[in-house]
Amino acid sequence: MLPLEKPQQVHRALAWQGEIPTYNIYTFGIAGERFFRELKEHGRFLGTRCPACHLLYVPPRIYCERCFASLEEWVEVPGRGTVFTFTLAYYDLDGRRLEHPDILALVRLEGAHGGVLHRLGEVEPGQVAIGMPVEAVLKPPQERRGSILDILYFRPTRR
Amino acid sequence: MMRRVAIVGIGFTPFRPLSPEVSYRELVYESAQRAYHDAGINPREDVDSFITVAEDYEEGTAIFDEYTPDQLGAALRPVHTITADGLYAISAGYMLIQTGQCEVVVVEGHSKASNVLTPSYISALALDPIYNRPLRFHPACLAGMEMARFLVETGTVREQCLRVAVKNRRNALLNPLAPYGADLTLEEALASPPAFAPLSEVEMSRSADGAIVVVLASEEATRRLKGHPVWIRGVGWCSDSPTLETREWGEAVYAHLSARMAYRLAGIRNPAREVHLAEIDDTYAYKELMHMEALGLCRRGEAGRLVEEGATERDGLLPVNVSGGSLGMGHLGEATGLARLAEAVMHLRGDAERRQVKGAQTALVQSWRGVPSSSGAVVVLGV
């Protein structure tokens, strides 16, 4: 039978507050290692091509998600492309409201069917549009560590 | 020959923003009691298998499936947990009965979202740890980005998305289970501040606590049970790529393929005409429109206009989320699909009181697993 009585006063509703401290490493793997080494050492973007599906994967991987073939053809992709989609984020990860929104975008790199998800910089929120040409701004070589944060942000392409 | 499978019992708690006086186990226990009473079964004797849905991180407990049996009356019985939305468990239960190994299966899902003190961190842990997570952005950014792409690809406008929020919050006014009912006007919605622009505050569902338990039975078993059977006519599920950089953004391919699977089983050729009510995912307002199109309830780019014309209102040609959806009832994590399902069952039984869609005989239920996922499930119900 369900209880006939339930707590009637909110201060009687007790709880234990716990925490979940977990730490991991996440292996780059064969494809990720090559992508981040190239970015760190030469400031270049690499993708892998699936000749059957005519797709150029960025981030690269060693298999095609469509036809499941092994991908062996590595191709350099320029560090520029267009804004595929974007948002003006008025909250940070902690859920704090931001006065000036953070601009997050998926950038389709030229010739790739993928791209890079990153922040936009050197641009006002109101100026951003889908299709806008942008280019990657990288950290100076000595500061690059082989991570997505080696890219500082993307900015409107300078002609 | 396929065995027919029915829903013969549902039980749920009212959905609430907070539930400080009860543990998740007690929420489940209450819903289970109601469902077993509804179906007229004893869980210790009449149930062949139990299926629950839960995510370890949302529960704050590893190997959470170990914590699911007791409150369901499932201790020392066959139990398994699926880390997916509740409609996946309905699909699994449907198949267990179709194998002939089970006659009665119980499905459970719950949400104790108010206990999660850092929800954005939990969903951020679902982002790719190498390519995306180091950027430390709020995961709802992905909803804003997806909405922007949906608008540009389909010609849908922001105001049409806001109308979904208005409709669902107002629908919730008639739903005594829904905590977020509001007499919202389009003008008020238009003034809602941006959150992840183009997505605004009023277009984002808020979380709720609650539990839902569903009893499934074979056709043979329904004959000895007192319940009013609602038949599961079709199920489907599908996952798109998790890679944000390469997957589709402007349309819900996972929902399209899930529906195709479920419609094939159900023999549905023209869902827009054959479905009498749809309870579908509206975690964000634009998602309802995107899902309507993917589910074949209208053509691509048409959903916004249907909402404008009132076609998806309770008394419209195709009522969508009469319950209030997640915008009105609150988002229930992996139990969300079961809340949609429970509403559809009430309508098909003729038990939905003032919300009742008259003459409803076929209902479509669909779930999406939230950002950053691109997966979900579909169930078609009929009487």
Side-chain angles (χ1 to χ4, degrees):
Chain A
M1 192 174 82
L2 283 167
L4 297 176
E5 300 293 336
K6 288 183 178 177
Q8 302 290 302
Q9 290 170 315
V10 76
H11 71 264
R12 297 212 169 185
L14 302 179
W16 171 260
Q17 184 170 328
E19 55 185 39
I20 311 177
T22 61
Y23 299 88
N24 284 61
I25 59 165
Y26 297 96
T27 307
F28 285 174
I30 298 162
E33 175 115 7
R34 196 153 161 184
F35 178 80
F36 285 113
R37 271 193 195 286
E38 189 70 15
L39 183 64
K40 177 180 177 225
E41 290 165 16
H42 306 291
R44 291 196 293 248
F45 292 86
L46 287 183
T48 51
R49 186 190 301 281
C50 177
C53 299
H54 303 288
L55 295 175
L56 177 53
Y57 283 95
V58 179
R61 64 196 72 173
I62 61 168
Y63 45 82
C64 176
E65 69 186 29
R66 307 276 170 91
C67 74
F68 210 51
S70 292
L71 304 185
E72 283 152 13
E73 188 187 343
W74 286 78
V75 182
E76 190 191 333
V77 189
R80 60 176 186 271
T82 52
V83 172
F84 178 75
T85 189
F86 72 100
T87 185
L88 308 180
Y90 286 85
Y91 288 97
D92 68 9
L93 178 57
D94 296 314
R96 276 189 298 255
R97 187 142 184 112
L98 303 170
E99 200 180 329
H100 300 289
D102 213 8
I103 312 171
L104 207 79
L106 176 57
V107 176
R108 276 269 178 275
L109 297 182
E110 249 169 56
H113 102 282
V116 177
L117 189 82
H118 222 289
R119 292 196 165 79
L120 299 187
E122 300 181 40
V123 63
E124 287 304 311
Q127 297 172 327
V128 183
I130 287 177
M132 188 168 96
V134 290
E135 61 188 13
V137 180
L138 303 183
K139 283 182 178 166
Q142 64 277 15
E143 288 177 28
R144 298 205 285 257
R145 298 177 53 202
S147 97
I148 201 72
L149 302 178
D150 288 352
I151 306 167
L152 285 169
Y153 50 81
F154 282 78
R155 70 179 173 206
T157 307
R158 293 180 177 171
R159 295 186 184 279
Chain B
M1 166 139 169
M2 296 254 274
R3 300 179 92 199
R4 294 216 295 164
V5 179
I7 293 170
V8 293
I10 49 172
F12 39 78
T13 59
F15 304 108
R16 300 186 277 155
L18 302 172
S19 57
E21 84 289 4
V22 273
S23 68
Y24 74 85
R25 290 179 174 181
E26 291 157 352
L27 283 172
V28 171
Y29 177 62
E30 179 176 337
S31 297
Q33 289 270 31
R34 291 173 192 263
Y36 301 153
H37 180 73
D38 188 35
I41 60 165
N42 175 347
R44 304 302 292 157
E45 291 168 5
D46 302 329
V47 179
D48 301 306
S49 196
F50 297 81
I51 311 173
T52 68
V53 290
E55 301 268 351
D56 287 3
Y57 263 115
E58 282 173 15
E59 302 294 340
T61 302
I63 321 184
F64 182 76
D65 50 296
E66 287 290 305
Y67 290 83
T68 59
D70 310 14
Q71 56 272 19
L72 273 177
L76 298 172
R77 304 302 307 280
V79 186
H80 71 274
T81 299
I82 301 177
T83 50
D85 176 83
L87 297 187
Y88 284 74
I90 296 289
S91 305
Y94 170 82
M95 292 188 289
L96 277 181
I97 291 173
Q98 285 203 332
T99 64
Q101 296 295 309
C102 297
E103 297 298 325
V104 176
V105 172
V106 165
V107 168
E108 179 269 328
H110 65 272
S111 165
K112 187 73 172 166
S114 66
N115 275 4
V116 181
L117 302 183
T118 51
S120 55
Y121 279 73
I122 299 287
S123 21
L125 285 172
L127 296 169
D128 182 285
I130 295 169
Y131 288 95
N132 308 139
R133 216 190 291 165
L135 294 165
R136 294 185 60 82
F137 58 88
H138 193 295
C141 283
L142 301 178
M145 292 168 67
E146 190 181 64
M147 177 178 171
R149 195 67 209 173
F150 173 68
L151 296 186
V152 77
E153 285 188 20
T154 60
T156 307
V157 297
R158 223 189 117 230
E159 188 179 307
Q160 293 170 327
C161 302
L162 290 168
R163 283 179 188 273
V164 172
V166 169
K167 167 179 72 74
N168 291 0
R169 298 294 285 267
R170 294 178 74 99
N171 279 348
L173 286 173
L174 284 185
N175 185 351
L177 301 169
Y180 296 109
D183 193 9
L184 182 70
T185 64
L186 182 61
E187 291 65 36
E188 287 163 343
L190 280 163
S192 175
F196 301 92
L199 192 66
S200 63
E201 299 278 1
V202 78
E203 295 167 84
M204 302 171 67
S205 59
R206 303 307 193 222
S207 63
D209 294 352
I212 303 121
V213 173
V214 181
V215 182
L216 310 182
S218 66
E219 183 165 19
E220 203 184 331
T222 61
R223 294 199 194 104
R224 51 187 158 81
L225 298 174
K226 68 168 189 178
H228 174 159
V230 169
W231 301 100
I232 299 177
R233 291 182 49 198
V235 298
W237 63 95
C238 181
S239 297
D240 197 350
S241 165
T243 307
L244 299 174
E245 291 84 350
T246 56
R247 78 183 191 203
E248 286 296 335
W249 284 76
E251 60 184 314
V253 184
Y254 55 90
H256 177 69
L257 296 176
S258 305
R260 196 160 76 181
M261 179 175 167
Y263 292 157
R264 191 176 62 230
L265 282 167
I268 286 184
R269 290 197 173 79
N270 183 345
R273 212 175 300 158
E274 293 174 61
V275 167
H276 301 134
L277 86 148
E279 282 287 318
I280 65 178
D281 178 82
D282 65 331
T283 300
Y284 306 101
Y286 75 92
K287 273 295 200 182
E288 180 173 301
L289 302 177
M290 185 188 240
H291 287 144
M292 281 173 61
E293 295 174 6
L295 296 167
L297 300 178
C298 59
R299 282 199 289 272
R300 196 152 142 79
E302 273 185 3
R305 192 168 49 76
L306 286 181
V307 172
E308 240 165 35
E309 290 170 354
T312 58
E313 300 278 345
R314 185 171 52 86
D315 55 0
L317 275 176
L318 179 62
V320 177
N321 288 330
V322 171
S323 63
S326 288
L327 289 162
M329 289 177 78
H331 197 272
L332 297 157
E334 299 291 25
T336 299
L338 295 180
R340 294 287 85 72
L341 181 100
E343 175 77 6
V345 167
M346 285 189 269
H347 284 272
L348 295 177
R349 286 177 171 184
D351 274 351
E353 300 179 340
R354 288 195 295 162
R355 305 190 303 290
Q356 181 67 44
V357 172
K358 288 194 184 70
Q361 291 188 308
T362 302
L364 171 66
V365 186
Q366 180 254 341
S367 63
W368 168 59
R369 300 186 57 215
V371 289
S373 86
S374 55
S375 60
V378 166
V379 172
V380 177
L381 300 175
V383 284

